[in-house]
């Protein structure tokens, strides 16, 4: 709405729609029964232009509400002629919580002759729940808010025009429903209900800053393959790893590698090995996750990621990093590397490790969330032990990230070197993680394909139960 100021024709059309659909039919008749002049006041700053356009076209006098009190002169909060009784209509472009309108109304009614009964907004984001019969929102100060368009109507128009699919419409409606506040309610936003992986992909696509985020591809694959399983292929022989990839490929969405534990092969160069693994990934439709755990300064991280003996950026769709070296440097190093190879790449931040003596804790989880929010155009998710808490005021942002958890096994509680295990049911169902990473629980089994199938089913049914 802010950019409308640069489009005079649109500005005049929007103002006219406000007049024809709301001011004239719903407000003026009623106000004309009262004594007093009808005047307008735009909520600063973006709605000032709409109020001005209406004032010129329909000859309404205007009042201006200052954002801050002048420190010199009269120190007035309201500018304009205030010498006779007047009915002021407040004009606003978008309403979210209603706080801006309420603030302006408080300044207006502080003036002797001004009364305010109505506000007109162009776009209602439907974040306020209202049962009022004669307006869209009844503010706690008694002001009736009338809107031209609300977000539900807006997405329905986009759907009708075939700009978005019905799944996006449903996700947005569900989001609105879960995010409404009742006026006077002190809690901020209630948590949105559980969302499916598909809905999260669609919601991410609707966010401009997430359009290129790898999380979209991963959520979509999880939904279509009905899998939230990643196998950690910690075998030491290249041929064995390729064989394992063929065995578990149909069950997984991500195949996790540690490229530096593989013995150099006599038959395959690194490049040939990477090409073969990529072919298997394309055949069975899974992504390759190189669990490199980068942790150096940004420039060295970039060198380790692009080029060198492993040339990770070329073949690994996703990698991960610690944040010990800083909150931006390592992420930027990897992001620049990804830009250099010109392919869509993902990054997972290590928030909490699975080991019993880990130094990662609530603070590292908090930092990881802050970094993810700051670098949301590139960061796709976390290595963690469950869904992470989002910062105050952005509680619902959890849906944007893929929570990936290693340390998963059905039968063991841990190993003798500090690894700790939880079951898929606990990790996905209770801790609300999205993706389980299973190593020895699968590749140490006699029948690896069967074991992968079992873990996939367990992980998926825990996810389905979570959705109920
Ligand atoms: O906190 C972490 C981070 C990474 N891992 C990796 O996951 C697998 C787990 O293998 P299992 O055989 O299932 O124990 C392994 O590749 C680790 O490097 C982790 O375990 N914990």
């Amino acid at each position: 709405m802010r950019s409308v100021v640069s489009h005079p024709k649109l500005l005049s059309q929007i103002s006219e729609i406000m007049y024809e659909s709301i001011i004239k039919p719903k407000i003026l008749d009623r106000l004309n029964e009262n004594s007093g002049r009808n005047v307008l006041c735009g909520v600063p700053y973006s709605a000032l232009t709409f109020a001005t356009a209406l004032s010129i076209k329909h000859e309404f006098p205007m009042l201006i509400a200052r954002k801050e009190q002048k420190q010199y002169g009269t120190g007035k909060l309201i500018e304009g002629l205030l010498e006779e009784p007047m009915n002021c209509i407040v004009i606003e472009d978008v309403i979210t919580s209603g706080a801006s309108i309420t603030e302006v109304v408080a300044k207006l009614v502080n003036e002797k002759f001004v009364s305010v009964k109505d506000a007109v907004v162009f776009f209602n984001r439907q974040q306020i729940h209202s049962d009022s019969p004669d307006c869209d929102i009844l503010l706690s100060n008694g002001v009736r808010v009338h809107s031209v368009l609300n977000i539900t109507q807006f997405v329905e128009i986009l759907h009708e025009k075939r700009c978005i699919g019905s799944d996006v419409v449903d996700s947005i409606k569900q989001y609105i429903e879960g995010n409404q506040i009742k006026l006077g309610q002190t809690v901020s936003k209630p948590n949105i209900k559980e969302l499916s992986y598909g809905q999260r992909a669609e919601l991410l696509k609707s966010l401009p800053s997430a359009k290129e985020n790898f999380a979209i591809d991963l959520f979509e694959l999880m939904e279509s393959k009905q899998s939230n399983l990643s196998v950690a292929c910690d075998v030491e022989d290249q041929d064995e790893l390729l064989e394992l990839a063929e065995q578990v490929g149909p069950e997984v969405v991500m195949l996790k590698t540690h490229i530096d534990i593989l013995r150099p092969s006599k038959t395959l160069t690194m490049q040939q090995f990477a090409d073969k693994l990529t072919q298997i990934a394309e055949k069975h439709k899974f992504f390759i996750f190189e669990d490199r755990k980068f942790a150096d300064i940004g420039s060295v991280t970039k060198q380790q990621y692009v080029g060198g003996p492993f040339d990770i950026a070329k073949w690994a769709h996703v990698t991960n990093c610690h944040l010990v070296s800083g909150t931006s440097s390592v992420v930027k190093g990897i992001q620049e590397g990804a830009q250099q190879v010109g392919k869509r790449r993902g990054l997972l931040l290590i928030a909490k490790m699975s080991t019993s003596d880990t130094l990662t804790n609530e603070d590292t989880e908090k930092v990881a969330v802050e970094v993810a929010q700051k670098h949301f155009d590139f960061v796709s998710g976390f290595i963690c032990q469950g869904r992470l808490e989002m910062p105050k005021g952005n509680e619902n942002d959890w849906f944007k990230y893929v929570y990936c958890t290693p340390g998963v096994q059905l039968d063991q509680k841990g190993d003798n070197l500090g690894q700790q295990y939880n079951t898929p049911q606990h990790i996905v169902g209770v801790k609300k993680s999205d993706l389980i990473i299973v190593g020895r629980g699968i590749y140490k089994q006699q029948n690896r394909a069967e074991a992968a199938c079992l873990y996939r089913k367990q992980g998926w049914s825990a996810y389905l139960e979570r959705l109920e």
Side-chain angles (χ1 to χ4, degrees), residues 183-205:
L183 288 172
Q185 199 173 306
T186 44
V187 288
S188 51
K189 293 179 198 161
N191 282 340
I192 46 174
K193 291 181 203 143
E194 203 48 56
L195 295 170
S196 70
Y197 299 137
Q199 286 172 322
R200 284 160 74 181
E202 291 308 322
L203 278 176
L204 280 173
K205 281 194 225 165

PDB file of all heavy atoms in Angstrom, residues 183-205:
ATOM      1  N   LEU A 183     -10.016  -8.226  20.698  1.00  0.00           N
ATOM      2  CA  LEU A 183      -9.582  -6.953  21.251  1.00  0.00           C
ATOM      3  C   LEU A 183      -9.647  -7.002  22.766  1.00  0.00           C
ATOM      4  O   LEU A 183     -10.560  -7.598  23.335  1.00  0.00           O
ATOM      5  CB  LEU A 183     -10.440  -5.815  20.710  1.00  0.00           C
ATOM      6  CG  LEU A 183     -10.148  -5.517  19.240  1.00  0.00           C
ATOM      7  CD1 LEU A 183     -11.151  -4.532  18.692  1.00  0.00           C
ATOM      8  CD2 LEU A 183      -8.745  -4.987  19.068  1.00  0.00           C
ATOM      9  N   GLY A 184      -8.638  -6.409  23.387  1.00  0.00           N
ATOM     10  CA  GLY A 184      -8.602  -6.417  24.852  1.00  0.00           C
ATOM     11  C   GLY A 184      -7.859  -7.626  25.386  1.00  0.00           C
ATOM     12  O   GLY A 184      -7.526  -7.683  26.550  1.00  0.00           O
ATOM     13  N   GLN A 185      -7.584  -8.592  24.490  1.00  0.00           N
ATOM     14  CA  GLN A 185      -6.861  -9.781  24.915  1.00  0.00           C
ATOM     15  C   GLN A 185      -5.392  -9.417  25.139  1.00  0.00           C
ATOM     16  O   GLN A 185      -4.803  -8.710  24.324  1.00  0.00           O
ATOM     17  CB  GLN A 185      -6.964 -10.777  23.761  1.00  0.00           C
ATOM     18  CG  GLN A 185      -6.690 -12.200  24.111  1.00  0.00           C
ATOM     19  CD  GLN A 185      -7.009 -13.064  22.905  1.00  0.00           C
ATOM     20  OE1 GLN A 185      -8.106 -13.004  22.359  1.00  0.00           O
ATOM     21  NE2 GLN A 185      -6.062 -13.832  22.470  1.00  0.00           N
ATOM     22  N   THR A 186      -4.794  -9.864  26.205  1.00  0.00           N
ATOM     23  CA  THR A 186      -3.425  -9.424  26.482  1.00  0.00           C
ATOM     24  C   THR A 186      -2.385 -10.306  25.818  1.00  0.00           C
ATOM     25  O   THR A 186      -1.324  -9.844  25.467  1.00  0.00           O
ATOM     26  CB  THR A 186      -3.154  -9.369  27.988  1.00  0.00           C
ATOM     27  OG1 THR A 186      -3.691 -10.553  28.547  1.00  0.00           O
ATOM     28  CG2 THR A 186      -3.755  -8.152  28.644  1.00  0.00           C
ATOM     29  N   VAL A 187      -2.706 -11.605  25.608  1.00  0.00           N
ATOM     30  CA  VAL A 187      -1.712 -12.469  24.967  1.00  0.00           C
ATOM     31  C   VAL A 187      -1.490 -11.990  23.542  1.00  0.00           C
ATOM     32  O   VAL A 187      -2.411 -11.452  22.921  1.00  0.00           O
ATOM     33  CB  VAL A 187      -2.152 -13.957  24.916  1.00  0.00           C
ATOM     34  CG1 VAL A 187      -2.091 -14.563  26.281  1.00  0.00           C
ATOM     35  CG2 VAL A 187      -3.521 -14.118  24.289  1.00  0.00           C
ATOM     36  N   SER A 188      -0.271 -12.170  23.023  1.00  0.00           N
ATOM     37  CA  SER A 188      -0.012 -11.713  21.654  1.00  0.00           C
ATOM     38  C   SER A 188      -0.725 -12.626  20.667  1.00  0.00           C
ATOM     39  O   SER A 188      -1.936 -12.683  20.630  1.00  0.00           O
ATOM     40  CB  SER A 188       1.480 -11.605  21.389  1.00  0.00           C
ATOM     41  OG  SER A 188       2.102 -12.807  21.764  1.00  0.00           O
ATOM     42  N   LYS A 189       0.026 -13.360  19.883  1.00  0.00           N
ATOM     43  CA  LYS A 189      -0.646 -14.202  18.890  1.00  0.00           C
ATOM     44  C   LYS A 189      -0.773 -15.620  19.410  1.00  0.00           C
ATOM     45  O   LYS A 189       0.203 -16.168  19.917  1.00  0.00           O
ATOM     46  CB  LYS A 189       0.187 -14.249  17.609  1.00  0.00           C
ATOM     47  CG  LYS A 189       0.262 -12.956  16.901  1.00  0.00           C
ATOM     48  CD  LYS A 189       1.146 -13.165  15.686  1.00  0.00           C
ATOM     49  CE  LYS A 189       1.656 -11.881  15.141  1.00  0.00           C
ATOM     50  NZ  LYS A 189       2.811 -12.070  14.283  1.00  0.00           N
ATOM     51  N   PRO A 190      -1.927 -16.264  19.243  1.00  0.00           N
ATOM     52  CA  PRO A 190      -1.992 -17.661  19.636  1.00  0.00           C
ATOM     53  C   PRO A 190      -1.191 -18.488  18.622  1.00  0.00           C
ATOM     54  O   PRO A 190      -1.011 -18.053  17.492  1.00  0.00           O
ATOM     55  CB  PRO A 190      -3.484 -17.978  19.531  1.00  0.00           C
ATOM     56  CG  PRO A 190      -4.044 -16.977  18.599  1.00  0.00           C
ATOM     57  CD  PRO A 190      -3.174 -15.774  18.660  1.00  0.00           C
ATOM     58  N   ASN A 191      -0.719 -19.640  19.038  1.00  0.00           N
ATOM     59  CA  ASN A 191       0.048 -20.443  18.092  1.00  0.00           C
ATOM     60  C   ASN A 191      -0.828 -20.976  16.989  1.00  0.00           C
ATOM     61  O   ASN A 191      -1.956 -21.378  17.223  1.00  0.00           O
ATOM     62  CB  ASN A 191       0.685 -21.622  18.825  1.00  0.00           C
ATOM     63  CG  ASN A 191       1.897 -21.162  19.582  1.00  0.00           C
ATOM     64  OD1 ASN A 191       2.460 -20.109  19.271  1.00  0.00           O
ATOM     65  ND2 ASN A 191       2.274 -21.921  20.590  1.00  0.00           N
ATOM     66  N   ILE A 192      -0.274 -20.966  15.758  1.00  0.00           N
ATOM     67  CA  ILE A 192      -1.060 -21.552  14.685  1.00  0.00           C
ATOM     68  C   ILE A 192      -1.025 -23.061  14.837  1.00  0.00           C
ATOM     69  O   ILE A 192      -0.081 -23.618  15.366  1.00  0.00           O
ATOM     70  CB  ILE A 192      -0.596 -21.145  13.267  1.00  0.00           C
ATOM     71  CG1 ILE A 192       0.914 -21.239  13.098  1.00  0.00           C
ATOM     72  CG2 ILE A 192      -1.150 -19.839  12.866  1.00  0.00           C
ATOM     73  CD1 ILE A 192       1.358 -20.985  11.667  1.00  0.00           C
ATOM     74  N   LYS A 193      -2.111 -23.654  14.334  1.00  0.00           N
ATOM     75  CA  LYS A 193      -2.233 -25.097  14.499  1.00  0.00           C
ATOM     76  C   LYS A 193      -1.119 -25.768  13.718  1.00  0.00           C
ATOM     77  O   LYS A 193      -0.416 -25.154  12.957  1.00  0.00           O
ATOM     78  CB  LYS A 193      -3.585 -25.543  13.936  1.00  0.00           C
ATOM     79  CG  LYS A 193      -4.755 -25.084  14.751  1.00  0.00           C
ATOM     80  CD  LYS A 193      -6.012 -25.626  14.089  1.00  0.00           C
ATOM     81  CE  LYS A 193      -7.200 -24.792  14.464  1.00  0.00           C
ATOM     82  NZ  LYS A 193      -8.140 -24.641  13.383  1.00  0.00           N
ATOM     83  N   GLU A 194      -1.022 -27.069  13.874  1.00  0.00           N
ATOM     84  CA  GLU A 194      -0.035 -27.825  13.125  1.00  0.00           C
ATOM     85  C   GLU A 194      -0.295 -27.652  11.626  1.00  0.00           C
ATOM     86  O   GLU A 194      -1.447 -27.512  11.204  1.00  0.00           O
ATOM     87  CB  GLU A 194      -0.214 -29.295  13.525  1.00  0.00           C
ATOM     88  CG  GLU A 194       0.964 -30.163  13.324  1.00  0.00           C
ATOM     89  CD  GLU A 194       2.262 -29.607  13.854  1.00  0.00           C
ATOM     90  OE1 GLU A 194       2.338 -29.278  15.043  1.00  0.00           O
ATOM     91  OE2 GLU A 194       3.205 -29.486  13.058  1.00  0.00           O
ATOM     92  N   LEU A 195       0.753 -27.609  10.846  1.00  0.00           N
ATOM     93  CA  LEU A 195       0.596 -27.496   9.393  1.00  0.00           C
ATOM     94  C   LEU A 195       1.279 -28.690   8.743  1.00  0.00           C
ATOM     95  O   LEU A 195       2.282 -29.197   9.255  1.00  0.00           O
ATOM     96  CB  LEU A 195       1.254 -26.211   8.879  1.00  0.00           C
ATOM     97  CG  LEU A 195       0.668 -24.882   9.328  1.00  0.00           C
ATOM     98  CD1 LEU A 195       1.589 -23.735   8.927  1.00  0.00           C
ATOM     99  CD2 LEU A 195      -0.707 -24.675   8.696  1.00  0.00           C
ATOM    100  N   SER A 196       0.767 -29.087   7.592  1.00  0.00           N
ATOM    101  CA  SER A 196       1.416 -30.194   6.877  1.00  0.00           C
ATOM    102  C   SER A 196       2.673 -29.662   6.191  1.00  0.00           C
ATOM    103  O   SER A 196       2.837 -28.454   6.022  1.00  0.00           O
ATOM    104  CB  SER A 196       0.464 -30.779   5.840  1.00  0.00           C
ATOM    105  OG  SER A 196       0.292 -29.846   4.793  1.00  0.00           O
ATOM    106  N   TYR A 197       3.547 -30.580   5.774  1.00  0.00           N
ATOM    107  CA  TYR A 197       4.764 -30.159   5.079  1.00  0.00           C
ATOM    108  C   TYR A 197       4.373 -29.407   3.800  1.00  0.00           C
ATOM    109  O   TYR A 197       4.995 -28.409   3.446  1.00  0.00           O
ATOM    110  CB  TYR A 197       5.631 -31.366   4.707  1.00  0.00           C
ATOM    111  CG  TYR A 197       6.119 -32.192   5.894  1.00  0.00           C
ATOM    112  CD1 TYR A 197       6.101 -33.584   5.865  1.00  0.00           C
ATOM    113  CD2 TYR A 197       6.620 -31.565   7.038  1.00  0.00           C
ATOM    114  CE1 TYR A 197       6.565 -34.342   6.928  1.00  0.00           C
ATOM    115  CE2 TYR A 197       7.085 -32.318   8.109  1.00  0.00           C
ATOM    116  CZ  TYR A 197       7.052 -33.704   8.050  1.00  0.00           C
ATOM    117  OH  TYR A 197       7.515 -34.450   9.118  1.00  0.00           O
ATOM    118  N   GLY A 198       3.330 -29.899   3.126  1.00  0.00           N
ATOM    119  CA  GLY A 198       2.884 -29.254   1.881  1.00  0.00           C
ATOM    120  C   GLY A 198       2.401 -27.830   2.132  1.00  0.00           C
ATOM    121  O   GLY A 198       2.720 -26.904   1.376  1.00  0.00           O
ATOM    122  N   GLN A 199       1.635 -27.667   3.202  1.00  0.00           N
ATOM    123  CA  GLN A 199       1.131 -26.318   3.516  1.00  0.00           C
ATOM    124  C   GLN A 199       2.290 -25.382   3.851  1.00  0.00           C
ATOM    125  O   GLN A 199       2.278 -24.209   3.474  1.00  0.00           O
ATOM    126  CB  GLN A 199       0.173 -26.379   4.709  1.00  0.00           C
ATOM    127  CG  GLN A 199      -1.172 -26.962   4.349  1.00  0.00           C
ATOM    128  CD  GLN A 199      -2.025 -27.192   5.584  1.00  0.00           C
ATOM    129  OE1 GLN A 199      -1.536 -27.595   6.626  1.00  0.00           O
ATOM    130  NE2 GLN A 199      -3.310 -26.935   5.456  1.00  0.00           N
ATOM    131  N   ARG A 200       3.290 -25.922   4.515  1.00  0.00           N
ATOM    132  CA  ARG A 200       4.436 -25.071   4.875  1.00  0.00           C
ATOM    133  C   ARG A 200       5.199 -24.657   3.619  1.00  0.00           C
ATOM    134  O   ARG A 200       5.662 -23.520   3.508  1.00  0.00           O
ATOM    135  CB  ARG A 200       5.325 -25.805   5.883  1.00  0.00           C
ATOM    136  CG  ARG A 200       4.681 -25.771   7.264  1.00  0.00           C
ATOM    137  CD  ARG A 200       5.200 -26.842   8.180  1.00  0.00           C
ATOM    138  NE  ARG A 200       6.532 -26.586   8.672  1.00  0.00           N
ATOM    139  CZ  ARG A 200       7.198 -27.411   9.487  1.00  0.00           C
ATOM    140  NH1 ARG A 200       6.620 -28.539   9.892  1.00  0.00           N
ATOM    141  NH2 ARG A 200       8.404 -27.131   9.903  1.00  0.00           N
ATOM    142  N   ALA A 201       5.291 -25.587   2.653  1.00  0.00           N
ATOM    143  CA  ALA A 201       5.955 -25.226   1.380  1.00  0.00           C
ATOM    144  C   ALA A 201       5.178 -24.108   0.690  1.00  0.00           C
ATOM    145  O   ALA A 201       5.756 -23.128   0.217  1.00  0.00           O
ATOM    146  CB  ALA A 201       6.028 -26.453   0.471  1.00  0.00           C
ATOM    147  N   GLU A 202       3.844 -24.239   0.671  1.00  0.00           N
ATOM    148  CA  GLU A 202       3.028 -23.219  -0.010  1.00  0.00           C
ATOM    149  C   GLU A 202       3.142 -21.878   0.693  1.00  0.00           C
ATOM    150  O   GLU A 202       3.239 -20.838   0.054  1.00  0.00           O
ATOM    151  CB  GLU A 202       1.561 -23.653  -0.067  1.00  0.00           C
ATOM    152  CG  GLU A 202       1.304 -24.830  -0.992  1.00  0.00           C
ATOM    153  CD  GLU A 202       1.854 -24.628  -2.389  1.00  0.00           C
ATOM    154  OE1 GLU A 202       1.785 -23.499  -2.907  1.00  0.00           O
ATOM    155  OE2 GLU A 202       2.388 -25.588  -2.964  1.00  0.00           O
ATOM    156  N   LEU A 203       3.111 -21.910   2.028  1.00  0.00           N
ATOM    157  CA  LEU A 203       3.241 -20.644   2.771  1.00  0.00           C
ATOM    158  C   LEU A 203       4.598 -19.997   2.512  1.00  0.00           C
ATOM    159  O   LEU A 203       4.687 -18.784   2.340  1.00  0.00           O
ATOM    160  CB  LEU A 203       3.071 -20.879   4.276  1.00  0.00           C
ATOM    161  CG  LEU A 203       1.632 -20.951   4.781  1.00  0.00           C
ATOM    162  CD1 LEU A 203       1.623 -21.288   6.257  1.00  0.00           C
ATOM    163  CD2 LEU A 203       0.904 -19.624   4.576  1.00  0.00           C
ATOM    164  N   LEU A 204       5.641 -20.830   2.461  1.00  0.00           N
ATOM    165  CA  LEU A 204       6.974 -20.276   2.191  1.00  0.00           C
ATOM    166  C   LEU A 204       7.017 -19.632   0.811  1.00  0.00           C
ATOM    167  O   LEU A 204       7.589 -18.560   0.630  1.00  0.00           O
ATOM    168  CB  LEU A 204       8.031 -21.378   2.267  1.00  0.00           C
ATOM    169  CG  LEU A 204       8.497 -21.769   3.665  1.00  0.00           C
ATOM    170  CD1 LEU A 204       9.410 -22.979   3.610  1.00  0.00           C
ATOM    171  CD2 LEU A 204       9.240 -20.621   4.338  1.00  0.00           C
ATOM    172  N   LYS A 205       6.354 -20.290  -0.156  1.00  0.00           N
ATOM    173  CA  LYS A 205       6.366 -19.737  -1.518  1.00  0.00           C
ATOM    174  C   LYS A 205       5.709 -18.367  -1.567  1.00  0.00           C
ATOM    175  O   LYS A 205       5.997 -17.564  -2.428  1.00  0.00           O
ATOM    176  CB  LYS A 205       5.630 -20.681  -2.471  1.00  0.00           C
ATOM    177  CG  LYS A 205       6.457 -21.871  -2.888  1.00  0.00           C
ATOM    178  CD  LYS A 205       5.790 -22.521  -4.063  1.00  0.00           C
ATOM    179  CE  LYS A 205       5.745 -24.010  -3.903  1.00  0.00           C
ATOM    180  NZ  LYS A 205       4.843 -24.681  -4.788  1.00  0.00           N
TER     181      LYS A 205
END
